[in-house]
Amino acid sequence: MTSRVIALDLDGTLLTPKKTLLPSSLEALARAKAAGHLPIIVTGRHHVAIHPFYQALALDTPAICCNGTYLYDYHAKKVLAADPLPVNQAQQLIALLEEYQVHGLMYVDNAMLYEKPTGHVLRTTAWAEALPPEQRPVFQQVDSLRAAAAEVEAIWKFALTDEDTGKLKNFAHHVEQTLGLECEWSWHDQVDIARAGNSKGKRLAEWVAAQGLSMQDVVAFGDNYNDISMLQAAGTGVAMGNADDVVKAHANVVIGDNTVDSIAQFIDKELL
């Protein structure tokens, strides 16, 4: 195998259920870097929620964030390319969130904004409090998402959560039909909504082409529905064992789950 780019989803893939990196994965990726491969994070997360993993991996590549909405350079601390949500569409979505009483977390600029602390916010905040202050993601409670949407520079995406997943599925379908936005599941109880056309696969392909490479040179690891676009586009799409069967069907290879050394074993066997 001659692949040179290693595209890595975080949650459910490179990260364990406890949001940690396996030592075997760190070591294998370090060996891959030394051999000339290019690891790159491709995640649904905001760049402010990737710091500890980016630093542990000692990467020099940019990160693809919010399901392909933007490309972020950690060393220069700037966005390199982006397709954020237009303010009018964001405000239309917020109006629907209010009407249907669905909780939304709005990813903007360098922070994540919310009106009410939902389960997702509470879980992530608890994780963040265990990090050094300089690595903590920025959560900010606001009185009105609608007002905040008119004041920020860029709106990357919305992360919606609800205990009733059936309600969430119906809401996402309604948003797609009425607003024409992109709805992708990034966790079992979370649907992400972003500008139509944004995807991990699309942004990854753009970055790979800018490096003078082809998507045939890419090995992509993922576990959820928002990873399907890059699993399909990559020369080798690798689904985790904990992935849904629908996701696995779009991969070339299925390995073990995110609690064992499956990523390291694949890298050592197929790339080194």
Side-chain angles (χ1 to χ4, degrees):
M1 187 177 292
T2 58
S3 304
R4 293 188 57 211
V5 173
I6 304 173
L8 298 150
D9 169 54
L10 288 177
D11 296 283
T13 301
L14 190 60
L15 301 184
T16 69
K18 293 183 178 181
K19 308 302 180 190
T20 59
L21 291 160
L22 292 171
S24 63
S25 296
L26 284 171
E27 292 162 5
L29 287 165
R31 290 192 293 272
K33 277 182 61 183
H37 297 288
L38 296 172
I40 180 171
I41 290 173
V42 187
T43 181
R45 289 183 177 230
H46 195 299
H47 70 269
V48 298
I50 305 174
H51 286 294
F53 315 119
Y54 189 90
Q55 291 172 6
L57 290 162
L59 298 178
D60 49 19
T61 50
I64 294 173
C65 303
C66 289
N67 300 325
T69 294
Y70 66 104
L71 182 69
Y72 186 78
D73 184 330
Y74 273 95
H75 300 280
K77 296 183 179 180
K78 68 177 183 179
V79 173
L80 302 177
D83 292 292
L85 269 167
V87 173
N88 66 318
Q89 280 193 307
Q91 291 184 328
Q92 287 175 318
L93 175 58
I94 293 166
L96 288 177
L97 290 173
E98 294 169 351
E99 180 183 346
Y100 285 82
Q101 296 186 325
V102 174
H103 296 299
L105 184 62
M106 188 167 72
Y107 290 46
V108 304
D109 301 338
N110 295 302
M112 291 166 282
L113 312 182
Y114 64 94
E115 291 181 1
K116 298 177 182 178
T118 62
H120 174 66
V121 171
L122 295 173
R123 287 195 303 270
T124 309
T125 302
W127 164 75
E129 287 175 352
L131 297 172
E134 66 275 9
Q135 291 186 344
R136 289 176 191 166
V138 181
F139 286 94
Q140 183 179 342
Q141 188 166 16
V142 297
D143 293 330
S144 168
L145 287 179
R146 199 187 301 227
E151 297 171 355
V152 298
E153 291 185 15
I155 303 166
W156 305 128
K157 75 167 189 178
F158 284 78
L160 314 184
T161 57
D162 199 285
E163 293 181 358
D164 185 344
T165 54
K167 172 186 174 182
L168 206 53
K169 287 179 181 177
N170 291 334
F171 182 79
H173 179 72
H174 179 65
V175 167
E176 286 182 324
Q177 296 298 311
T178 58
L179 300 183
L181 297 175
E182 198 80 41
C183 298
E184 291 188 306
W185 290 83
S186 60
W187 204 241
H188 62 89
D189 63 350
Q190 179 176 314
V191 62
D192 296 338
I193 301 183
R195 189 171 188 162
N198 288 352
S199 72
K200 289 185 175 184
K202 179 183 177 183
R203 187 69 66 187
L204 178 60
E206 290 175 357
W207 181 79
V208 167
Q211 309 313 302
L213 300 170
S214 160
M215 286 300 286
Q216 285 302 116
D217 301 316
V218 177
V219 174
F221 293 86
D223 76 298
N224 222 312
Y225 290 87
N226 61 335
D227 296 314
I228 289 176
S229 62
M230 73 170 179
L231 293 178
Q232 287 180 312
T236 304
V238 182
M240 304 301 293
N242 48 288
D244 188 273
D245 287 343
V246 174
V247 179
K248 291 176 181 177
H250 292 280
N252 303 104
V253 182
V254 178
I255 59 175
D257 66 30
N258 62 329
T259 65
V260 295
D261 300 335
S262 49
I263 291 178
Q265 290 171 5
F266 185 91
I267 289 172
D268 286 335
K269 181 181 178 181
E270 304 293 343
L271 301 182
L272 299 177

